[in-house]
Amino acid sequence: MSDDAPSNAGFAFRSQVRSGGESVLAFLTREYRHSGAEAWAARLAAGEVEVRGVRARGDEVLRGGDVVVWHRPPWREEAAPLDYAVLLEDDALVAVSKPPGLPTLPGAGFLTHTLLTQVRLRYPGASPLHRLGRGTSGAVLFARTGEAGAALSRAWREHEVQKVYRALGAGVPQWDTLDLRTPIGPVPHPRLGSVFAASAEGKASRSVAHVRERREDCTLFDVEIHTGRPHQIRIHLAAAGHPLLGDPLYGVGGRPLWGLPGLPGDLGYLLHAWTLRFRHPVTGREVRVEAPPPPDLR
């Protein structure tokens, strides 16, 4: 495959209009902020957008409930590691170890270069029960049947799934175990509009960090999470004064580093979903899935 050859067959992005009154062009420019009005006008002229099953010009006035469909042509996705290790496999479940750099789900220009697409090549219909950030490695659990998915989704909501991560944070704490409850919510960001971070107005969040090994200028932590807020471990350790080494987004206090690019998908930190513990939805037996950590987190 050449360097500029498409890596997918294109995709139809669908967005529902909540309240009408604006033009198709204005809606697209507001809904998909990665492109300006000029780019959207060119896509409309190329016939890539339809509304109510008809090719859109751009000046049509939308109604509430309309669905705007952007038929994005095939594109070349950013390179990502596509290999993963299978940790558990049966008729109901499959658990895999995701490499850092591979997005879990489609988005931000990724479609086939995602864990979901790669797993479904081998396990058609598998559905992820949770997600990891692109820079985070480790265990991801998929359901292979609707019944297994429903049972484990319920267990997740009722906090019956135990999740422990490994993380390498800056500095050396005096404490051995710390219960972290910094609320997490959206805060302003100069490039992204807003990002999730420590916020007094945010949602209740809880992680419990245990010191596993103190090193010269950093610490290896085991972190058990009890809620599932975006970037929770990165924010909580930063709020405790120990941001992940190399984290481009969060600094001490759990707030964004405004002077750095700080895109949420940026790599450079070490965070690994180490273990998952849950009851099997079919057998009822306790299952422990372990993804071996990378060398710096051992």
Side-chain angles (χ1 to χ4, degrees):
M1 180 183 292
S2 66
D3 290 342
D4 58 353
S7 51
N8 58 56
F11 191 75
F13 294 88
R14 291 174 167 81
S15 297
Q16 187 167 30
V17 179
R18 293 185 179 179
S19 58
E22 65 181 338
S23 70
V24 174
L25 177 58
F27 174 84
L28 289 167
T29 305
R30 179 178 55 79
E31 183 78 3
Y32 299 99
R33 297 184 179 180
H34 54 70
S35 301
E38 184 176 348
W40 281 115
R43 291 172 181 141
L44 284 157
E48 296 179 12
V49 181
E50 70 176 57
V51 179
R52 303 173 209 135
V54 178
R55 173 178 170 175
R57 301 181 308 274
D59 58 353
E60 299 91 340
V61 177
L62 292 168
R63 302 190 296 255
D66 280 345
V67 176
V68 179
V69 184
W70 171 34
H71 296 278
R72 183 177 181 180
W75 72 94
R76 181 65 179 168
E77 299 171 44
E78 183 181 335
L82 303 180
D83 293 333
Y84 61 88
V86 176
L87 306 172
L88 174 150
E89 175 187 6
D90 61 27
D91 291 340
L93 305 172
V94 60
V96 305
S97 184
K98 183 184 86 67
L102 179 64
T104 303
L105 303 176
F110 290 94
L111 181 60
T112 61
H113 291 181
T114 62
L115 182 66
L116 175 62
T117 296
Q118 298 305 312
V119 167
R120 282 182 172 174
L121 291 175
R122 183 171 176 180
Y123 305 97
S127 296
L129 293 159
H130 59 122
R131 63 178 295 176
L132 300 180
R134 183 184 171 196
T136 304
S137 59
V140 180
L141 186 62
F142 289 75
R144 300 185 65 187
T145 68
E147 294 81 1
L152 280 167
S153 294
R154 183 168 56 253
W156 231 285
R157 289 193 302 271
E158 296 174 358
H159 307 290
E160 296 173 355
V161 179
Q162 183 187 51
K163 305 171 287 294
V164 180
Y165 288 67
R166 286 277 180 88
L168 191 62
V172 180
Q174 298 299 311
W175 46 266
D176 293 324
T177 297
L178 189 62
D179 195 333
L180 303 165
R181 295 179 181 256
T182 302
I184 294 174
V187 302
H189 189 278
R191 287 186 60 185
L192 303 173
S194 68
V195 296
F196 284 92
S199 170
E201 294 77 33
K203 292 184 177 181
S205 309
R206 186 185 180 210
S207 307
V208 179
H210 307 274
V211 172
R212 188 175 187 91
E213 179 182 83
R214 291 179 173 88
R215 301 179 181 176
E216 184 176 351
D217 58 356
C218 60
T219 301
L220 184 64
F221 295 98
D222 284 349
V223 184
E224 183 176 351
I225 63 171
H226 296 266
T227 54
R229 311 302 178 207
H231 313 302
Q232 178 171 313
I233 292 175
R234 296 167 66 186
I235 295 168
H236 274 177
L237 285 178
H242 303 283
L244 299 190
L245 285 183
D247 194 326
L249 184 58
Y250 298 106
V252 172
R255 303 282 290 188
L257 295 166
W258 286 53
L260 295 175
L263 298 178
D266 284 350
L267 313 182
Y269 58 86
L270 286 172
L271 180 61
H272 180 80
W274 178 37
T275 63
L276 288 170
R277 191 188 301 270
F278 56 92
R279 289 203 174 276
H280 194 284
V282 176
T283 67
R285 294 179 179 177
E286 185 174 279
V287 177
R288 183 179 186 274
V289 173
E290 177 177 334
D296 287 343
L297 294 181
R298 293 176 187 165

